[in-house]
Amino acid sequence: MLLLRLLLKNAFRHKLRSALTLIGLVVAICAFGLLRTIVDAWYAGAEASASTRLVTRSAVSLTFPLPLNYGERIRAVQGVSGLSWANWFGGVYVTERNFFPQFAVDPPSYLALYPEYVLPDAQRQDFLRDRQGAIVGRKLADKFGWRVGDQIPLRGTIYPGTWSFTLRGIYDGVDASTDEQQLLFHWKYLSESIRQRPGANPARVDSVGVYVVGIREADDAALISQRIDALFRNSLAETLTETEKAFQLSFVSMSEAILVAIQAVSLIIVVIIMAVMANTMTMTARERLAEYATLRVLGFSPGFVVRLLAAESLLIALVGGLFGIALTLPLAAFVGRAVGTLLPVFRVSELTLLLQLLAALLVGAVAAAWPAWRISRIDIVAGLRHVG
């Protein structure tokens, strides 16, 4: 207790300097945590993907559709346990600012492949029965204040016109990593609506954007992917099949340079506050040379003096780090609401909190290294003559 009181007294002897150092630590640790959370949110879709799901798309580009009749041939491939399909819709709700993903899907097979979408049985049945029905994630419904039974109008971009959907269900994610900011509706409704339009292109009517393939064993993913792609090799619409994680990462790779820059900035922030903290501890050690020399005269070993300074640095860093971590959580919640559907899963992970704490302790340890080494070699006589 005596040592702790001594540390607290020394750490906050210069209140203004200690306060400014703590503020810098809090800001740095908080910024470090937020930047890491942004990177984690970018990878959230890939990390939440299932190892037993594959995605089959056009080998040319995702914008090229695949024929609907590919489905039965894929379903017959050895190792395939389930099959569904989806089209990106790209509609606009009121204004372009209200962006959120919308997919035309085959509801029975699609929901069977995505058990992480938890939907009440009554709402599931209503959705399956209503060809014009739709379901949305909980976060998206809360954002726009939607309730079951509401009409959701979307202005088509890829598929022109005004489309209206009846909200038949609101699903919850099985855990925090599940995307709850998307809208799903019937692929048949989309197909039939296009078919009824004058001059409709039959190839576009009976086509899908991607096939979602369920497999029995995750270890067979590469082999099954090869089998599927071999079916359509040298055809007019060749396919590329990959794991759902690889499919998600293909989108992340488009902004990889930005993510590397964000990670670099987060590390630079830690290095900067480390330099600031080191300067603070160097000033502290220089001012207290006479005190440290007196402790040596009283019989305290050089190791005790070094531990005293190091413990003071670690205490300041720990206090600043804990405040920074505490501030990160509400700020992350605010940022998550601000970015909305752009980063649908925005949460501070346990790993990020641990890294924040370790970064704070690292700053404290490194900042004390140089001044601690200097006072360990202090000349007692010179130290007693020193005036801080």
Side-chain angles (χ1 to χ4, degrees):
M1 290 299 296
L2 178 62
L3 182 60
L4 179 61
R5 289 177 60 187
L6 181 61
L7 287 175
L8 290 173
K9 185 174 181 180
N10 284 342
F12 299 100
R13 183 183 302 185
H14 293 281
K15 293 181 174 58
L16 179 59
R17 182 194 301 168
S18 298
L20 293 176
T21 303
L22 281 173
I23 290 173
L25 276 165
V26 170
V27 172
I29 296 301
C30 184
F32 173 76
L34 285 177
L35 290 174
R36 276 203 54 86
T37 301
I38 291 173
V39 174
D40 290 344
W42 225 289
Y43 284 96
E47 295 302 323
S49 58
S51 59
T52 55
R53 285 197 296 258
L54 306 178
V55 176
T56 298
R57 62 178 178 85
S58 169
V60 179
S61 169
L62 190 60
T63 58
F64 285 76
L66 295 174
L68 182 63
N69 57 24
Y70 276 19
E72 290 306 315
R73 297 177 66 184
I74 295 174
R75 200 189 305 272
V77 172
Q78 183 180 355
V80 171
S81 60
L83 181 75
S84 191
W85 54 89
N87 281 38
W88 174 264
F89 184 70
V92 176
Y93 178 68
V94 182
T95 176
E96 284 78 2
R97 292 183 179 181
N98 297 330
F99 169 82
F100 56 89
Q102 308 128 26
F103 295 98
V105 303
D106 178 59
S109 59
Y110 195 84
L111 293 178
L113 287 175
Y114 287 87
E116 59 264 40
Y117 300 157
V118 181
L119 191 65
D121 289 338
Q123 295 182 11
R124 179 188 293 263
Q125 294 304 319
D126 289 342
F127 175 47
L128 295 178
R129 283 193 295 264
D130 186 357
R131 187 65 61 86
Q132 201 171 340
I135 60 172
V136 302
R138 177 70 60 185
K139 290 182 180 178
L140 188 63
D142 292 343
K143 178 180 179 180
F144 294 113
W146 292 336
R147 296 292 180 267
V148 173
D150 289 352
Q151 293 294 313
I152 303 175
L154 296 178
R155 174 166 51 85
T157 53
I158 301 174
Y159 305 94
T162 300
W163 303 73
S164 182
F165 303 97
T166 303
L167 184 58
R168 292 303 182 189
I170 299 174
Y171 71 83
D172 294 288
V174 71
D175 55 38
S177 65
T178 304
D179 185 359
E180 296 181 354
Q181 301 207 53
Q182 57 181 341
L183 179 146
L184 306 176
F185 66 96
H186 287 255
W187 178 87
K188 287 185 178 179
Y189 172 62
L190 176 67
S191 177
E192 291 173 357
S193 298
I194 296 174
R195 192 188 303 275
Q196 293 171 4
R197 297 184 178 185
N201 184 351
R204 191 177 183 185
V205 171
D206 295 323
S207 63
V208 300
V210 297
Y211 284 99
V212 183
V213 183
I215 60 177
R216 296 184 181 88
E217 298 293 337
D219 293 339
D220 296 334
L223 179 59
I224 295 174
S225 297
Q226 293 173 2
R227 289 172 179 167
I228 294 173
D229 294 338
L231 287 175
F232 311 107
R233 189 170 294 126
N234 298 324
S235 68
L236 294 177
E238 294 189 354
T239 62
L240 173 63
T241 305
E242 55 195 347
T243 62
E244 188 179 48
K245 184 173 185 177
F247 177 74
Q248 295 286 352
L249 287 175
S250 66
F251 294 98
V252 176
S253 63
M254 298 177 186
S255 52
E256 188 173 1
I258 298 175
L259 298 179
V260 171
I262 292 175
Q263 291 174 320
V265 169
S266 68
L267 294 176
I268 290 171
I269 290 173
V270 173
V271 172
I272 290 174
I273 196 60
M274 192 180 293
V276 172
M277 184 76 174
N279 181 66
T280 299
M281 298 313 300
T282 300
M283 293 172 61
T284 298
R286 186 171 61 247
E287 292 171 355
R288 299 179 190 167
L289 281 178
E291 297 178 22
Y292 295 142
T294 302
L295 288 173
R296 294 287 304 281
V297 171
L298 293 175
F300 289 97
S301 66
F304 175 81
V305 177
V306 168
R307 289 194 296 271
L308 189 64
L309 180 64
E312 180 180 339
S313 178
L314 288 171
L315 177 63
I316 294 175
L318 181 61
V319 172
L322 291 176
F323 275 107
I325 291 172
L327 185 61
T328 301
L329 298 175
L331 280 179
F334 173 78
V335 174
R337 289 192 295 270
V339 299
T341 53
L342 293 178
L343 295 173
V345 180
F346 195 92
R347 65 185 185 93
V348 184
S349 67
E350 292 78 6
L351 178 59
T352 295
L353 296 177
L354 178 60
L355 289 175
Q356 285 181 284
L357 182 60
L358 291 177
L361 294 177
L362 178 64
V363 167
V366 173
W370 169 248
W373 181 80
R374 287 194 60 191
I375 64 172
S376 68
R377 303 169 62 87
I378 186 175
D379 181 81
I380 297 177
V381 176
L384 292 171
R385 290 176 178 174
H386 179 78
V387 177

